[in-house]
Amino acid sequence: QVQLVESGGGLVQAGGSLRLSCAASGSIFSILTMGWYRQAPGKQRELVAVISSDGSTNFAVFVKGRFTISRDNAKKTVYLQMNSLKPEDTAVYYCNARLDVGLGKSKDFWGQGTQVTVSS
């Protein structure tokens, strides 16, 4: 069983910053990628940022230059530093981990979500 535990969400004013953390635990052979998605009310879940085991990253266009993602492989933890937050960044942020489950297969696991609210 694999668990992803998120922390760091909350309420912040526009222009402020928040840092999200997500720690993976359980029966883990290898983590391929870790990342963050978000879902605003009435909208589909969308990719925010993802980081691979080798440190390569991919960001959604709407967060480039404002958000950074980092990863501590030893702690199986991923971080999302969010700066210059905007009201449109308000959403539930979900941690994702794509794990190598053997035999050339991978599987996605999700955290429970953490609310980020940006007031104008």
Side-chain angles (χ1 to χ4, degrees):
Q1 188 174 1
V2 174
Q3 284 189 321
L4 300 179
V5 179
E6 301 144 336
S7 60
L11 172 64
V12 65
Q13 288 188 329
S17 299
L18 283 175
R19 188 190 193 212
L20 305 182
S21 300
C22 172
S25 64
S27 182
I28 297 172
F29 170 61
S30 174
I31 301 177
L32 301 174
T33 64
M34 295 189 79
W36 294 91
Y37 290 69
R38 72 185 188 186
Q39 188 167 18
K43 295 187 176 182
Q44 289 189 334
R45 190 173 297 188
E46 59 185 359
L47 171 71
V48 176
V50 64
I51 184 167
S52 299
S53 57
D54 63 1
S56 58
T57 58
N58 188 31
F59 291 90
V61 172
F62 53 77
V63 301
K64 279 186 177 179
R66 299 189 298 126
F67 294 7
T68 57
I69 189 169
S70 60
R71 174 173 168 173
D72 186 329
N73 289 329
K75 294 182 178 180
K76 299 184 179 65
T77 299
V78 63
Y79 307 94
L80 184 69
Q81 177 66 44
M82 305 185 291
N83 300 325
S84 302
L85 283 161
K86 305 175 181 180
E88 51 264 43
D89 293 318
T90 295
V92 177
Y93 284 69
Y94 295 91
C95 176
N96 169 271
R98 179 161 293 173
L99 306 187
D100 180 350
V101 294
L103 302 176
K105 296 181 180 180
S106 63
K107 184 176 180 179
D108 284 341
F109 292 85
W110 295 90
Q112 78 282 1
T114 185
Q115 178 69 47
V116 170
T117 302
V118 185
S119 63
S120 58

